[in-house]
Amino acid sequence: MFFATETGWEDSDIIVQSPIVSESPNQPKLPKAKGTKRALLVEGGGMKGAFSGGVLYAWNRFLRPNYFDLVVGVSSGACAAAYYVSMPKEEPIKSEKALAVWYRDLSGRKLISFLHPFQGKTLLNQEYLIDFIFRKKVRLESETLDRKNVPHFVVAVSNLHTHSIEYIKATSANVFDLLKAATSLPIATRGKHWLNGKLYSDAAILNPLPIQDIIEAGYKEIVVMV
């Protein structure tokens, strides 16, 4: 985890380069910075999301999501960020259950198994992850995302039509489909997911760490979770 401020990166050993991708004039972009101009970027990378989940579990007690004006989730980091943003106040029991998802519900062969293709499932079972865990067992309270006391939460995804990154605001109506798109990878899953008439995939395919876009949107204090 590292920070960007107006004076530069606080960890001088980290050099960030953003890949060049084609842009569409109609693609959803990040909102321009307002207020405190603070942003949180939560990266994913499969089970690396467990690290983000652990940090955000601690932050539920000490650093509320509304400290930030913008929260950006990438890949599995979007899953951890969604639980964090959906708990605007301290929720010890709920946050503990969200953390337990990573070491209890996603371990073993229920999420990932080489036997899944023989059972008519994808290698990484998104239906188990999103439709069962997030919707039912450890329910992500999606209605909270529509409230005014939570930061602007967007999920980064790859538009497979324009080959560009899009930042789509998570709402109670789209968050579960959005998380399916954000965790869609070739081979491991079907590699794509339909959302609003477009095909999307994991943003990490094009840019796993879109820091430059956040900087260009005017945010001055950026916390990056990797």
Side-chain angles (χ1 to χ4, degrees):
M1 187 165 61
F2 55 97
F3 302 83
T5 65
E6 290 184 90
T7 57
W9 296 102
E10 291 188 5
D11 188 331
S12 59
D13 294 330
I14 297 175
I15 300 175
V16 179
Q17 294 181 324
S18 180
I20 298 174
V21 296
S22 59
E23 291 189 359
S24 167
N26 297 319
Q27 73 183 66
K29 297 182 179 180
L30 293 173
K32 292 297 181 182
K34 297 179 181 179
T36 61
K37 299 183 179 181
R38 296 179 184 135
L40 169 65
L41 172 58
V42 186
E43 192 206 12
M47 292 306 291
K48 281 173 58 181
F51 171 77
S52 300
V55 174
L56 295 176
Y57 160 73
W59 280 11
N60 177 257
R61 299 189 177 190
F62 305 111
L63 190 65
R64 304 290 185 271
N66 60 10
Y67 174 83
F68 301 98
D69 301 300
L70 173 72
V71 176
V72 181
V74 179
S75 191
S76 61
C79 301
Y83 275 119
Y84 176 61
V85 173
S86 70
M87 291 184 250
K89 60 181 182 180
E90 184 176 350
E91 299 275 7
I93 296 176
K94 291 180 181 178
S95 61
E96 174 66 36
K97 288 181 178 179
L99 175 64
V101 165
W102 295 99
Y103 62 81
R104 184 186 60 203
D105 298 303
L106 302 188
S107 61
R109 298 180 179 177
K110 290 184 178 181
L111 177 65
I112 302 173
S113 173
F114 287 109
L115 297 177
H116 283 167
F118 300 101
Q119 300 168 345
K121 306 172 185 177
T122 54
L123 188 64
L124 189 156
N125 190 347
Q126 285 183 298
E127 285 68 30
Y128 170 76
L129 176 67
I130 309 295
D131 297 331
F132 177 65
I133 299 297
F134 294 167
R135 283 184 182 269
K136 298 176 182 178
K137 186 175 182 181
V138 185
R139 183 175 174 268
L140 172 63
E141 297 181 355
S142 57
E143 62 276 8
T144 307
L145 301 176
D146 299 331
R147 296 179 184 173
K148 294 182 178 180
N149 64 332
V150 297
H152 191 93
F153 173 42
V154 300
V155 176
V157 287
S158 294
N159 185 318
L160 297 181
H161 304 279
T162 62
H163 302 103
S164 61
I165 297 290
E166 291 189 7
Y167 301 94
I168 301 178
K169 187 179 188 304
T171 68
S172 60
N174 73 2
V175 66
F176 297 109
D177 276 320
L178 198 49
L179 291 178
K180 279 188 177 180
T183 55
S184 290
L185 281 169
I187 302 176
T189 70
R190 295 177 183 86
K192 55 192 174 183
H193 187 74
W194 286 98
L195 179 63
N196 297 328
K198 299 178 183 178
L199 279 174
Y200 292 101
S201 188
D202 193 325
I205 294 174
L206 295 177
N207 189 355
L209 207 61
I211 303 172
Q212 190 61 37
D213 290 345
I214 300 175
I215 294 173
E216 291 177 359
Y219 293 88
K220 302 300 182 182
E221 182 181 329
I222 306 169
V223 180
V224 184
M225 204 170 288
V226 296

